[in-house]
Amino acid sequence: MTGAGYMLIECIEETHGTMLSKTWLDKHQESRLRANFFRDLSRILLSISRIPLPRIGSFMIDNNGYLFLTNRPLTLELQDLENQKIPTDVPRDCTYSTVDSYVVDLLGTHDNRLRHQPNAVNDVTDCACQMAAHAAMRTIFPLFFQRELRRGPFVMTLTDLHPSNILVDDDWHITCLVDLEWACSRPIEMVQLPHWLANKAVDEIVPEEFDVVRSEFMAILTAEETQRCGYSESTKLSMPRLSNVMNSAWETGTFWYTLALFSPTGLFNLFYDRIRPKFDEGDPSEFPKVMPFFWDKDAAGFVARKLSDKKKYDNELELAFR
């Protein structure tokens, strides 16, 4: 097409590999296959994260075929919210120079889901608990991200790395990655091990079980990072070791906060099960009695509106199925 940018697209034949999802559940307990997969995944993560990027965002190709980091950090979750007609308030040309500004806007998308999704709450208690979780997430986020990393480095991240997008051979060596349109530049502290390795939903992960898999992967990542040694003396000053950052994120709870941040449907359970207990081990039923009033200036009015939205939604749903 005249005047349009271009991309090089590779045709992946069946001989190149099969989706990991076809064999993962049956063979994920085989240590040899798992080690091969973890080693290849480690090399990919190390390769794409070795060059620091100037901003948080996504790449675009202009009409002359040049690549620019000028688009918002578009993820599948962000697009899904907009497909549901929930405003995200993140303009297409918006990029971020600090972790703080990015986190604040992501928390804003969660707030907008609660405000605009007609069936976002079930009753008064549910609404108050969600408001409390959102208010607390705003308050505590500086405690989960290292101050010295708030302005970078930012690195290329694969945000849609699920097993159907990973092609492997019979020995589980990675042969191809597909659907890379959701790749974007993110803070290095947000580089995570895929949560589906636990074979559970994002808000059903058992930390002790996941840590077994995580420790196995991190041992391989650390060894690969040491062996590859892609760090010159000058690079060491600007690029921390990825394995150190990922281990720190697990130890401090940043892993859970980030997981909640990127999961519109999982934030609620992740907050109450994994994040709140780090600050308050008291009766969880007491928590929503105060915090909702710090989420919105008219908390009572908001609850009333959401209950009205839910009633209207239920009526429209009943009419639709009649």
Side-chain angles (χ1 to χ4, degrees):
M1 182 184 298
T2 304
Y6 61 87
M7 294 182 67
L8 296 177
I9 300 177
E10 180 183 1
C11 178
I12 301 175
E13 304 289 347
E14 292 184 8
T15 55
H16 287 179
T18 59
M19 293 188 297
L20 179 62
S21 57
K22 290 185 176 181
T23 56
W24 173 258
L25 290 178
D26 294 332
K27 297 184 178 182
H28 73 277
Q29 296 288 1
E30 297 186 26
S31 59
R32 181 182 66 85
L33 298 181
R34 204 167 55 244
N36 289 340
F37 171 63
F38 284 172
R39 189 171 297 106
D40 285 0
L41 181 59
S42 295
R43 291 169 178 171
I44 291 172
L45 294 181
L46 290 170
S47 177
I48 64 175
S49 64
R50 66 186 179 87
I51 299 177
L53 298 172
R55 292 181 300 281
I56 299 169
S58 298
F59 284 99
M60 293 186 67
I61 301 175
D62 71 2
N63 291 340
N64 296 315
Y66 289 100
L67 202 62
F68 293 95
L69 186 59
T70 55
N71 194 28
R72 60 182 176 170
L74 184 61
T75 62
L76 182 60
E77 293 79 14
L78 198 67
Q79 187 67 68
D80 189 50
L81 288 174
E82 293 180 341
N83 288 345
Q84 298 177 53
K85 298 182 179 180
I86 296 173
T88 60
D89 297 330
V90 181
R92 288 189 61 182
D93 59 353
C94 177
T95 59
Y96 302 89
S97 58
T98 66
V99 176
D100 308 49
S101 57
Y102 181 44
V103 172
V104 167
D105 270 8
L106 285 178
L107 290 172
T109 66
H110 288 274
D111 293 341
N112 283 351
R113 185 199 64 80
L114 184 56
R115 285 191 169 96
H116 295 279
Q117 184 175 309
N119 62 333
V121 306
N122 296 317
D123 49 39
V124 174
T125 301
D126 180 40
C127 189
C129 287
Q130 290 195 55
M131 293 165 68
H134 288 208
M137 288 286 284
R138 287 186 199 164
T139 303
I140 62 178
F141 86 81
L143 304 177
F144 286 99
F145 296 97
Q146 300 178 47
R147 186 172 182 82
E148 58 269 25
L149 299 178
R150 65 188 299 264
R151 291 184 174 84
F154 311 126
V155 297
M156 180 58 70
T157 310
L158 303 175
T159 70
D160 191 27
L161 197 64
H162 65 77
S164 291
N165 285 344
I166 303 172
L167 274 62
V168 296
D169 62 17
D170 293 338
D171 294 317
W172 274 21
H173 287 294
I174 298 176
T175 59
C176 299
L177 297 178
V178 298
D179 287 353
L180 302 181
E181 67 269 29
W182 307 112
C184 61
S185 169
R186 275 181 174 175
I188 193 170
E189 289 180 280
M190 294 184 181
V191 178
Q192 289 189 329
L193 188 63
H195 67 81
W196 49 262
L197 292 174
N199 295 316
K200 286 182 170 62
V202 66
D203 56 350
E204 295 177 348
I205 298 174
V206 179
E208 294 76 16
E209 294 178 1
F210 187 76
D211 194 33
V212 174
V213 182
R214 188 200 70 86
S215 297
E216 181 182 351
F217 172 82
M218 291 307 302
I220 293 175
L221 176 68
T222 303
E224 285 293 323
E225 193 169 26
T226 302
Q227 181 178 354
R228 292 164 68 93
C229 199
Y231 296 89
S232 64
E233 289 304 315
S234 59
T235 307
K236 287 181 180 178
L237 298 176
S238 59
M239 286 298 290
R241 291 178 68 92
L242 182 61
S243 56
N244 290 344
V245 174
M246 292 179 70
N247 275 323
S248 175
W250 176 260
E251 293 165 1
T252 60
T254 303
F255 172 87
W256 300 109
Y257 189 95
T258 300
L259 208 57
L261 199 60
F262 295 132
S263 179
T265 57
L267 181 144
F268 180 85
N269 287 335
L270 284 168
F271 173 78
Y272 282 101
D273 294 343
R274 305 293 169 228
I275 300 173
R276 189 195 67 84
K278 293 183 178 295
F279 300 89
D280 176 23
E281 296 182 353
D283 185 355
S285 65
E286 295 295 319
F287 186 76
K289 293 182 179 180
V290 176
M291 289 302 292
F293 295 96
F294 294 91
W295 182 76
D296 191 90
K297 292 180 180 179
D298 182 18
F302 176 78
V303 173
R305 289 193 298 274
K306 291 310 299 180
L307 294 180
S308 177
D309 288 346
K310 180 63 164 60
K311 184 177 181 179
K312 180 181 178 182
Y313 174 85
D314 288 343
N315 290 335
E316 292 177 348
L317 191 64
E318 183 179 358
L319 288 174
F321 277 92
R322 280 182 180 175

